[in-house]
Amino acid sequence: MAQLAVVILSLFGQMERTYVSECAAHARIVAESKGKRAGWPCVVDPDKLCYVEHVCADGF
């Protein structure tokens, strides 16, 4: 009987995990359709990135 309870609890856990991943995928699609960037914000300053590209192109 205890094994049945464990199986049912793991089933509910897997269902919730699937539901959360589907909701996250839907939220990403909606955000991208509105022209917003999904995910973590970019932490690299565009000016610094341009400088690094310039330095790398010159060969250090």
Side-chain angles (χ1 to χ4, degrees):
M1 190 66 171
Q3 290 178 342
L4 179 63
V6 169
V7 169
I8 290 175
L9 286 174
S10 65
L11 175 67
F12 284 132
Q14 184 63 37
M15 286 174 44
E16 183 173 354
R17 189 170 189 205
T18 303
Y19 176 72
V20 167
S21 66
E22 288 175 357
C23 286
H26 177 71
R28 280 192 299 274
I29 291 170
V30 170
E32 289 174 0
S33 69
K34 291 182 179 180
K36 296 182 180 178
R37 185 182 178 282
W40 290 93
C42 185
V43 296
V44 178
D45 186 21
D47 294 332
K48 290 180 182 178
L49 184 61
C50 182
Y51 175 73
V52 169
E53 290 173 348
H54 174 69
V55 169
C56 289
D58 289 345
F60 292 98

